[in-house]
Amino acid sequence: MTDLDIKHLQMHFSGVRALDDISFNVNKGEIFSLVGPNGSGKSTLFNCINGFCKPQNGNIIYNDIDLINSKPHQIVRYGISRTFQNLQNVPYMTLLQNVLIGAHSRLTIGDTINRWFSKNERIREENLALEVMDFLGIANLENKYLSGQPYGIQKLVEIARALICKPKLILMDEPAAGMNNQETLEIGKIISEIRDILGITVLVVEHDMSLVMSISDQICVLDSGKILAMGKP
């Protein structure tokens, strides 16, 4: 069953074709990896999927919804979240507070009003955040400030913030970048568990080919905005 359908996507910047007629399907419940050299269009593709960039041509279909004209906050509510290649954390906030930033995407006007009169809504959000952090093995650090935490912990906070949105599809942009071999093995295990335990489809951009080959159901190779190859590891 198809979860995400990319159709003839084209994106260019001042004449440079970052994406040149890209088409592929991501099936529900699989780990789909995008690989290729720097500048091949991987992050640009992510930016198109989650609404940061609007492609000149093509369609991005998710659960029968064309995302082309949707805003990033709408796309999160459709069930797509993402992590970033460069950490987007707030160092002077605690780990728990950083994770809770992602919870705003699910709040309705009624939820916001409830928070003015009762602590129950806030407690519910914090409990959900702690569950996500426990899944990632960082629940014991919830009250620590992010500043000064190891790089690997900061990466996990970024993943936790994406998971608290309760996505059905998560985009992970170079989750193992800057990590040592042991940390990379742990990230690979976490990515597999996100799919196997949480039931979330994963679309990942990664340069570590050992990691890619060990976790992927499908791999798409990009170069200069074009697909060079696609298939099973």
Side-chain angles (χ1 to χ4, degrees), residues 155-173:
K155 276 281 193 178
L156 293 177
V157 170
E158 177 114 343
I159 295 172
R161 188 169 56 245
L163 290 177
I164 200 176
C165 301
K166 293 187 175 180
K168 298 299 182 185
L169 168 66
I170 185 171
L171 314 179
M172 305 184 75
D173 198 349

Side-chain angles (χ1 to χ4, degrees), residues 1-161:
M1 180 179 178
T2 299
D3 211 3
L4 181 70
D5 192 4
I6 308 294
K7 297 182 177 180
H8 305 292
L9 210 61
Q10 293 188 9
M11 183 76 202
H12 53 81
F13 301 97
S14 300
V16 176
R17 290 199 173 188
L19 299 172
D20 190 359
D21 197 26
I22 299 295
S23 297
F24 63 84
N25 297 326
V26 178
N27 294 321
K28 187 177 181 62
E30 75 176 0
I31 299 173
F32 190 107
S33 293
L34 293 169
V35 302
N38 290 330
S40 61
K42 304 184 300 298
S43 292
T44 298
L45 179 56
F46 267 24
N47 289 337
C48 290
I49 294 172
N50 82 318
F52 287 175
C53 295
K54 183 176 180 180
Q56 283 78 19
N57 292 293
N59 301 95
I60 303 171
I61 309 298
Y62 176 71
N63 286 342
D64 298 323
I65 301 171
D66 195 338
L67 305 181
I68 290 297
N69 294 314
S70 297
K71 303 295 184 183
H73 69 275
Q74 295 172 318
I75 292 172
V76 173
R77 288 173 180 165
Y78 294 152
I80 300 176
S81 66
R82 83 173 276 186
T83 66
F84 292 84
Q85 182 177 341
N86 299 315
L87 293 175
Q88 302 293 315
N89 296 323
V90 185
Y92 54 82
M93 296 170 64
T94 66
L95 271 67
L96 178 59
Q97 289 169 336
N98 268 276
V99 174
L100 283 169
I101 291 173
H104 79 279
S105 63
R106 298 181 294 100
L107 293 179
T108 64
I109 294 176
D111 293 331
T112 303
I113 293 173
N114 287 337
R115 293 172 72 184
W116 293 345
F117 298 102
S118 171
K119 293 183 179 180
N120 291 339
E121 182 62 32
R122 180 69 176 186
I123 292 172
R124 187 182 68 82
E125 292 169 22
E126 290 184 356
N127 287 337
L128 176 59
L130 289 172
E131 287 178 13
V132 172
M133 295 174 73
D134 184 57
F135 174 77
L136 296 173
I138 55 174
N140 60 323
L141 302 173
E142 72 270 20
N143 293 319
K144 299 287 187 181
Y145 284 97
L146 195 70
S147 178
Q149 293 297 320
Y151 181 76
I153 297 296
Q154 296 192 44
K155 276 281 193 178
L156 293 177
V157 170
E158 177 114 343
I159 295 172
R161 188 169 56 245

